[in-house]
Amino acid sequence: MTSEQWGPAVRLLWGPPPAGPARGPKRGLALEGIARAGIEIADAEGLVGASMQRVAAELAVTKMALYRYVPGKAELVALMVEAAMPAAAPSPGGPWRERLQVWARGLLAGFRRHPWLLEATVGVRVMGPRELEWMEAALAALDGCGLTGAEAMDAVVLLAGHVRSIAEQERAAGAGPGSAGGGPDAQLALMLGEVMRTHGERFPALGAALASVAEHGGQDQALEFGLARVLDGLELLMTRRATGD
């Protein structure tokens, strides 16, 4: 979506500027209903299934009638993202690490609920209020921690990237924690176990790591492990800033 095309999405997500009473026949659809129809299709078939034609059929209107409300697929997806994103967790006071941990877990829960959001929330595009509320919550947690604005933004991107990576792995594996086949780490270990039984002597370090996992557990902890390491790094930077090192 180019800058020239952002206008319709901005108006749909953020509301049009004040204007006089609308003329013409009263509209029979609501944007919320259109978004929900698209979400139901995408949840079942993926984002590619949520075409204008399919959504129109779901709403029992013609495709041309749907265009009266939504100019095209890009704007439809923007509405779907806004409706599907969970509300950002409130960001009261408290340690910044705890606030960001809650933030990351909540974001992952949203991706797990609607995996197609991973496709829909990439690239330069218009973001709605809910997406910006997520960014606001993370930045608010870092306020006063000694980071510059650019560093705080980069930290949020880093955290979101880690969450997205975990969600992408779960989606590719077709399973999440608690599923019948286990999470992606468990599935990877199962596959590697088959290979290591006959070729383990070539990969002694990998064999030792897998044996440790089998003995002590720790599978499917990638979210928490990576999250802790990112936060450790931020904390080290904050400490160095505070002490002048």
Side-chain angles (χ1 to χ4, degrees):
M1 186 182 294
T2 64
S3 58
E4 291 80 9
Q5 297 171 311
W6 290 344
V10 170
R11 288 191 292 273
L12 287 172
L13 292 172
W14 294 92
R23 296 182 179 180
K26 183 178 180 180
R27 294 185 171 186
L29 296 178
L31 294 180
E32 293 80 2
I34 294 172
R36 286 297 167 193
I39 289 170
E40 289 179 5
I41 295 171
D43 284 347
E45 305 174 24
L47 190 60
V48 67
S51 65
M52 294 289 285
Q53 183 68 52
R54 286 294 310 282
V55 171
E58 187 73 17
L59 295 168
V61 300
T62 66
K63 184 178 178 181
M64 292 307 298
L66 184 59
Y67 277 120
R68 293 179 54 206
Y69 303 85
V70 183
K73 177 68 178 283
E75 291 78 15
L76 171 63
V77 172
L79 287 173
M80 291 165 55
V81 169
E82 177 66 12
M85 285 289 292
S91 186
W96 63 271
R97 285 186 68 118
E98 293 181 9
R99 293 165 68 180
L100 290 180
Q101 287 167 346
V102 171
W103 183 90
R105 293 166 190 151
L107 187 60
L108 181 58
F111 286 137
R112 285 172 172 169
R113 191 173 301 114
H114 303 290
W116 55 268
L117 281 172
L118 293 163
E119 298 174 51
T121 55
V122 295
V124 179
R125 60 201 165 75
V126 177
M127 291 186 286
R130 282 199 170 183
E131 275 197 272
L132 291 190
E133 285 169 1
W134 277 94
M135 186 178 296
E136 174 70 16
L139 290 172
L142 290 168
D143 188 36
C145 290
L147 302 181
T148 67
E151 289 170 342
M153 289 285 289
D154 286 343
V156 173
V157 170
L158 183 61
L159 287 167
H162 176 57
V163 171
R164 292 182 67 92
S165 176
I166 300 302
E168 289 280 11
Q169 291 177 40
E170 292 182 355
R171 186 185 190 192
S179 62
D185 289 354
Q187 293 189 23
L188 176 61
L190 183 62
M191 181 276 292
L192 289 176
E194 293 293 326
V195 175
M196 295 296 287
R197 269 190 278 276
T198 53
H199 301 284
E201 71 283 353
R202 294 179 55 187
F203 311 101
L206 177 58
L210 290 173
S212 176
V213 169
E215 181 179 359
H216 303 292
Q219 289 181 343
D220 300 317
Q221 297 299 313
L223 173 71
E224 297 299 333
F225 181 84
L227 178 58
R229 301 294 74 76
V230 172
L231 299 181
D232 286 346
L234 291 175
E235 188 168 12
L236 178 60
L237 175 60
M238 295 172 191
T239 300
R240 286 178 174 174
R241 288 276 172 82
T243 59
D245 291 345

